[in-house]
Amino acid sequence: MLETQMKTQLQAYLQNLRTPIRLIASLDESEKSVELRELLEEITELSDKVHFDDSGLDARKPSFVVAKEGETTGVRFAAIPLGHEFTSLVLALLWTGGHPPKVDAEVLEQIKALDESMKMEVYMSLSCHNCPDVVQAATLMAIYNPKIQTTVIDGSLNQAEVESRQVMAVPMVYINDHVFGSGRMSLEEIIGKLDHKSAERDAQKLNAKDPYDVLIVGGGPAGAAAAVYAARKGIRVGVVAERFGGQVNDTMGIENYISVLETDGPKFASALEQQVKHYEVDLMDLQKTKKITPASDIGGMLQVEMVNGGILSARSVIVSTGARWKNINVPGEQEYKNKGVAYCPHCDGPLFKGKRVAVIGGGNSGVEAAIDLAGVVGHVSLFEFASDLKADAVLVTKLRSLSNVSIHVNAQTTEITGDGQRVNGLKYKERSTHEEHTLAIEGVFVQIGLVPNTEFLKGTVELSPFGEIKIDDHCRTNVAGLFAAGDVTTVPFKQIVIAAGEGSKAALSAFDYLIRTPAPVHAKEPETV
């Protein structure tokens, strides 16, 4: 089952096992059980510290437990974890066998300190590039805390269970049979939601930090580039981000970043983080900004207040908070989000295998989504508000060649309908005739563009009618010492390479501002209530 190169790599990894482990399988006579047996037996042959038996009695078949030798419990996979999840399998083997994870000791102590008994169930699909982070986080938590039991479930392999639980988006996490969260989540995010005192501790740490010369708010390509360029000037630089990497984390394929022939979003985001850390930038991840106060309002320095109450000070600030997927804002969209309404075809497409779905949006993102989904679902109906598709001609040609795709242009989506549990239809109006129609579908993928993340800046800086930060050709805003870069600004063409260039420019502009502006003697302490 495993290719020769994968076997060679896995054999090398398994040399890091410190203690024996056992793969305990629950199998039946199905074809998938045969596949799983073959995979587990191949793994067993690669190390004398890995043993296999098929004595498992779990109701989910096929499935298997990665357990320490002599034990019968551990991390369970109700899946054949290949594809994007092969790395998750390798890490589960290594961590169970005593190989230490590349995680801060403080984070491991937080995991061990969680005192509640938890049954974690993570639904994923093998084609989902957002799922491995969640799978690996839940895996590590189960290995380091005996009160946590983790089961990783492939939705396409357990269709009946997915249908029963109305799982229509992955990754989806249940804890003790209740929905805990969906979408990409880091280990730190999950722990933060479970450890109710973590926000208070984070705020105290932020308040204790010295002022920065340049503080960057946002950790996407623009923010990362700004951090690198600023740090190379030998000044004190910090980055505070809600999710380092930003929307790049949700991008499947990147093939137009100069000098990088091909990569994917998570890899690109990881490379950004490595380079930023190389320059010893103070990176503060998982921190959401509440507001920015100009220096002119308080005297001294700009202040950045976080949602958790922490406050950071800086002589200059670069905002690079990027943008997020735009909603269509019709009845039913919010009600049925993750119940048929989705925004990531790569992640959630396999959950709609053989079903009828709609894609809203005729630009590159929408047409690419429709092409991708056509290979998985039963039928795709694409809806575009304008009279023509706006995607590149080569994509449109490919789309029109697919037999299970129908295209509706000049069509206005008016409502997403459902039965209270899941999507069952879409209503639209033909703009030329005003005739209304209802289409029976089971999923809607929204792909209509982006909205800038500037809600926390309203009333602070000048924004465009679209909510973008207005900047000049030096990335300056109308507030002294406050700069902005990337998709959050009025700069045209929202592209990774453009965002990186704008972030670099913003850093150079901020440095120019610093050397021309006298440093304040002191920053005024924030008022307390």
Side-chain angles (χ1 to χ4, degrees):
M1 173 174 282
L2 295 176
E3 296 178 356
T4 302
Q5 183 177 1
M6 292 179 67
K7 281 186 178 181
T8 302
Q9 292 176 342
L10 180 55
Q11 188 171 34
Y13 289 137
L14 293 178
Q15 291 177 5
N16 293 307
L17 292 174
R18 298 182 178 181
T19 57
I21 61 175
R22 183 167 293 272
L23 308 178
I24 307 170
S26 299
L27 306 171
D28 53 24
E29 302 302 319
S30 68
E31 180 180 340
K32 291 298 181 181
S33 285
V34 173
E35 288 183 26
L36 180 57
R37 177 186 289 276
E38 181 182 348
L39 172 63
L40 299 182
E41 288 179 344
E42 285 187 5
I43 294 173
T44 303
E45 293 171 358
L46 299 178
S47 173
D48 59 5
K49 284 189 170 67
V50 181
H51 305 105
F52 168 72
D53 74 52
D54 56 4
S55 62
L57 299 174
D58 192 79
R60 294 188 181 97
K61 295 182 174 64
S63 68
F64 68 100
V65 173
V66 182
K68 296 176 181 178
E69 186 64 69
E71 299 182 6
T72 58
T73 60
V75 178
R76 178 174 295 280
F77 287 86
I80 303 175
L82 298 174
H84 284 297
E85 293 300 342
F86 184 67
T87 299
S88 301
L89 170 60
V90 174
L91 291 174
L93 299 173
L94 294 177
W95 293 337
T96 303
H99 184 68
K102 295 181 179 179
V103 176
D104 290 342
E106 183 179 348
V107 174
L108 290 179
E109 289 304 314
Q110 275 188 280
I111 293 173
K112 295 175 184 178
L114 294 173
D115 199 36
E116 179 185 355
S117 295
M118 285 179 274
K119 180 181 70 173
M120 297 186 71
E121 295 168 298
V122 183
Y123 290 88
M124 58 80 177
S125 70
L126 299 181
S127 61
C128 168
H129 60 282
N130 287 325
C131 292
D133 279 359
V134 179
V135 169
Q136 291 161 25
T139 296
L140 187 66
M141 291 174 69
I143 292 171
Y144 275 81
N145 188 325
K147 293 186 176 182
I148 300 174
Q149 300 177 16
T150 291
T151 302
V152 179
I153 305 161
D154 180 1
S156 63
L157 193 61
N158 297 271
Q159 286 280 347
E161 185 172 339
V162 165
E163 293 282 341
S164 174
R165 271 190 160 169
Q166 307 289 327
V167 176
M168 307 192 76
V170 290
M172 178 75 75
V173 179
Y174 279 75
I175 293 183
N176 296 336
D177 297 320
H178 296 284
V179 174
F180 171 77
S182 64
R184 191 187 187 104
M185 294 179 284
S186 68
L187 173 63
E188 291 78 7
E189 284 178 281
I190 295 172
I191 296 173
K193 291 179 69 174
L194 294 171
D195 182 357
H196 303 300
K197 295 183 179 180
S198 62
E200 181 181 342
R201 291 196 300 270
D202 285 348
Q204 292 173 351
K205 291 178 183 178
L206 295 179
N207 289 333
K209 290 182 179 291
D210 293 331
Y212 298 90
D213 293 306
V214 176
L215 179 62
I216 298 149
V217 180
V228 169
Y229 265 72
R232 285 170 62 88
K233 296 297 184 181
I235 57 181
R236 178 167 164 74
V237 180
V239 175
V240 59
E242 186 172 356
R243 181 177 62 148
F244 193 87
Q247 197 177 22
V248 164
N249 287 299
D250 303 324
T251 302
M252 186 58 184
I254 299 173
E255 300 177 358
N256 57 357
Y257 194 86
I258 306 307
S259 84
V260 180
L261 185 62
E262 183 180 359
T263 186
D264 61 48
K267 287 181 181 178
F268 189 84
S270 177
L272 292 178
E273 184 174 357
Q274 289 176 25
Q275 188 169 19
V276 168
K277 288 182 176 179
H278 173 75
Y279 286 99
E280 298 183 354
V281 172
D282 188 5
L283 176 56
M284 297 158 278
D285 202 4
L286 307 179
Q287 301 294 333
K288 187 173 183 178
T289 301
K290 180 179 180 180
K291 70 176 182 178
I292 296 177
T293 304
S296 59
D297 290 0
I298 54 176
M301 300 187 184
L302 292 96
Q303 289 187 344
V304 178
E305 182 179 349
M306 315 312 297
V307 169
N308 62 18
I311 296 178
L312 301 169
S313 298
R315 291 181 61 196
S316 65
V317 171
I318 299 172
V319 178
S320 58
T321 46
R324 62 187 183 275
W325 291 115
K326 186 182 295 183
N327 293 323
I328 51 177
N329 295 319
V330 299
E333 180 181 19
Q334 295 302 317
E335 180 182 356
Y336 292 105
K337 188 172 289 186
N338 295 330
K339 297 178 181 179
V341 176
Y343 300 83
C344 180
H346 302 292
C347 303
D348 302 332
L351 299 176
F352 295 86
K353 184 177 181 180
K355 298 178 180 179
R356 301 179 67 87
V357 303
V359 172
I360 312 299
N364 282 347
S365 296
V367 172
E368 287 175 352
I371 293 170
D372 183 41
L373 289 166
V376 178
V377 305
H379 189 273
V380 180
S381 297
L382 184 138
F383 292 86
E384 166 55 38
F385 185 82
S387 56
D388 294 298
L389 298 181
K390 297 171 287 184
D392 295 341
V394 63
L395 295 175
V396 174
T397 299
K398 172 63 176 178
L399 182 71
R400 294 187 185 278
S401 72
L402 302 175
S403 60
N404 64 335
V405 173
S406 58
I407 300 171
H408 305 265
V409 296
N410 223 15
Q412 179 182 356
T413 302
T414 57
E415 184 180 356
I416 296 171
T417 63
D419 60 6
Q421 297 295 322
R422 61 173 67 190
V423 168
N424 63 14
L426 180 143
K427 293 183 178 180
Y428 69 98
K429 179 173 64 177
E430 292 187 27
R431 295 177 60 229
S432 57
T433 63
H434 300 289
E435 186 176 351
E436 296 184 351
H437 303 272
T438 298
L439 180 70
I441 54 170
E442 296 174 84
V444 179
F445 289 82
V446 180
Q447 302 278 292
I448 60 169
L450 304 169
V451 58
N453 296 314
T454 55
E455 286 81 3
F456 69 100
L457 289 170
K458 290 180 179 178
T460 302
V461 298
E462 188 176 359
L463 304 176
S464 75
F466 300 102
E468 301 164 320
I469 302 172
K470 287 187 176 182
I471 58 171
D472 64 11
D473 56 2
H474 285 70
C475 295
R476 292 177 294 220
T477 71
N478 65 314
V479 175
L482 185 60
F483 301 81
D487 288 4
V488 75
T489 73
T490 51
V491 68
F493 309 118
K494 312 303 186 186
Q495 298 289 312
I496 294 174
V497 68
I498 293 175
E502 289 291 302
S504 305
K505 189 204 302 183
L508 295 174
S509 296
F511 183 72
D512 183 70
Y513 168 82
L514 292 176
I515 62 178
R516 296 173 186 274
T517 305
V521 176
H522 66 277
K524 183 178 178 180
E525 294 295 327
E527 295 183 3
T528 57
V529 177

